[in-house]
DNA sequence: GTCCAATAGTCGGATATCATAATAATCACG
DNA sequence: CGTGATTATTATGATATCCGACTATTGGAC
């Protein structure tokens, strides 16, 4: 059973919000939270499914894109964590898998022996094109939004991230 | 290191979007996806932290609230999965943990022996009040949004869920 | 120059989620 | 009625993420 293919005759989040309002009180924040959680789940499933034929998950795809965008095609693992906003151990995990698939390579940093550089390989670059096509064609499950809607959504979410202290 | 406490001098998602635009082309959807992924991560961490002193995660808290809102204080596991939009095995996991903590109880369904009813216990009800206070006071990390913003966000996300086939 | 705090990465453990498949019970149709 | 399809739950295995702790290295304070 694929969770993302369920279809209820009503919106369970709206229903929960209504019950909450009756029992406890108004709760716009709670509703927004559950909405985001569920949409994230939908998008994650949608993008991962599009990438599966290419042997990538969204997290690994993002890592590859990040490396391909860098000047030298390589970055320290710590910087990858900052940019992707993932825990160092998550980066270790992602790089382990990409390296096992031959899509990236670990290199010593020339001057700082603590640092490991991660470099995208030719195979990695070759994988990126078709994977990007797949992601673009998957439309991310955002079919319910116009471009203007998506921009508005992005602005609201960016406000949340700024308020949460993600960046200055 | 708490990932959600990182602060960069720039917005990594906006930076990635800009690079993407230069290298590949406009990509409003990609930007919206990464925004949602990150905000979900922030909210999850924020709510889980607020609930940790009460021995609950957000998923388990949601399950308890759902049961407390039900007419009889009990629901079949399958229905819990539908309402919380989680995989049946995730429900099994959540109920296992809640039951181990004495917050819910598994009961036989009176007429359908395939079905397991999950009932909130008195201990579960007692846990819910302080946990709800904690969640409400955590403000969910949504400090960047006004109530009107949150409503607008909710409407956009609900469109996505409807388009994705969550409900009719 | 030495030493100690800070930094980079990894390991082990915990949690949460999913998918596939197994088990058990119910239901529908001939 | 009986048999096959459907439904409800759980077991097993995979992935992804986090945190705390550990090792190695660096660099600044004195």
């Amino acid at each position: 059973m694929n969770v993302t293919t369920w279809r209820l005759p009503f919106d369970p989040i709206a229903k929960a919000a209504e019950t909450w309002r009756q029992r406890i009180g108004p709760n716009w924040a709670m509703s927004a939270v559950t909405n985001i959680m569920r949409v994230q789940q939908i998008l994650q499933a949608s993008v991962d499914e599009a990438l599966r034929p290419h042997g990538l998950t969204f997290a690994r795809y993002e890592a590859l894109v990040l490396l391909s965008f860098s000047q030298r095609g390589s970055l320290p693992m710590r910087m990858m964590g900052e940019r992707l906003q993932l825990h160092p151990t998550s980066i270790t995990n992602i790089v382990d898998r990409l390296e096992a698939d031959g899509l990236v390579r670990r290199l010593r940093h020339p001057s700082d022996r603590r640092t490991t550089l991660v470099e995208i390989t030719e195979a990695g670059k070759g994988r990126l094109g078709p994977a990007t096509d797949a992601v673009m064609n998957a439309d991310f499950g955002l079919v319910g939004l116009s471009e203007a809607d998506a921009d508005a959504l992005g602005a609201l979410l960016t406000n949340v991230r700024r308020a949460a202290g993600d960046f200055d």
Side-chain angles (χ1 to χ4, degrees), chain A:
Chain A
M1 180 198 319
N2 188 331
V3 167
T4 66
T5 61
W6 260 341
R7 182 182 288 269
L8 290 171
F10 58 90
D11 179 354
I13 292 177
K15 188 179 180 72
E18 175 56 19
T19 308
W20 190 290
R21 192 186 61 72
Q22 292 170 5
R23 304 264 187 126
I24 300 175
N27 63 324
W28 54 271
M30 190 70 185
S31 193
V33 169
T34 49
N35 243 322
I36 289 171
M37 300 279 194
R38 175 58 181 158
V39 169
Q40 187 273 343
Q41 186 184 29
I42 290 168
L43 296 182
Q44 181 86 53
S46 166
V47 177
D48 279 346
E49 184 184 345
L51 285 171
R52 192 173 312 129
H54 303 279
L56 292 172
T57 62
F58 185 56
R60 284 181 246 166
Y61 171 72
E62 273 197 300
L64 272 188
V65 170
L66 178 66
L67 292 174
S68 79
F69 279 178
S70 70
Q71 293 285 339
R72 294 177 181 74
S74 68
L75 288 173
M77 296 187 65
R78 179 194 53 76
M79 190 174 297
M80 293 180 67
E82 286 177 1
R83 292 298 180 84
L84 300 175
Q85 301 192 269
L86 290 174
H87 197 274
T89 56
S90 299
I91 299 298
T92 295
N93 183 305
I94 287 169
V95 171
D96 281 352
R97 289 164 193 278
L98 288 173
E99 193 170 36
D101 287 348
L103 305 180
V104 305
R105 186 168 30 230
R106 277 181 168 90
L107 301 175
R108 283 199 198 89
H109 190 285
S111 61
D112 187 338
R113 277 184 297 173
R114 294 173 301 183
T115 299
T116 300
L117 291 174
V118 182
E119 182 182 66
I120 187 168
T121 63
E122 288 305 314
K125 291 176 189 167
R127 190 74 65 90
L128 217 35
T132 297
D133 290 344
V135 170
M136 303 291 271
N137 290 330
D139 78 17
F140 307 100
L142 289 174
V143 288
L145 298 185
S146 67
E147 179 171 347
D149 283 345
D151 286 345
L153 180 60
L156 290 167
L157 295 171
T158 299
N159 282 343
V160 174
R161 292 189 297 110
R162 185 183 297 109
D166 260 15
F167 60 95
D168 288 318

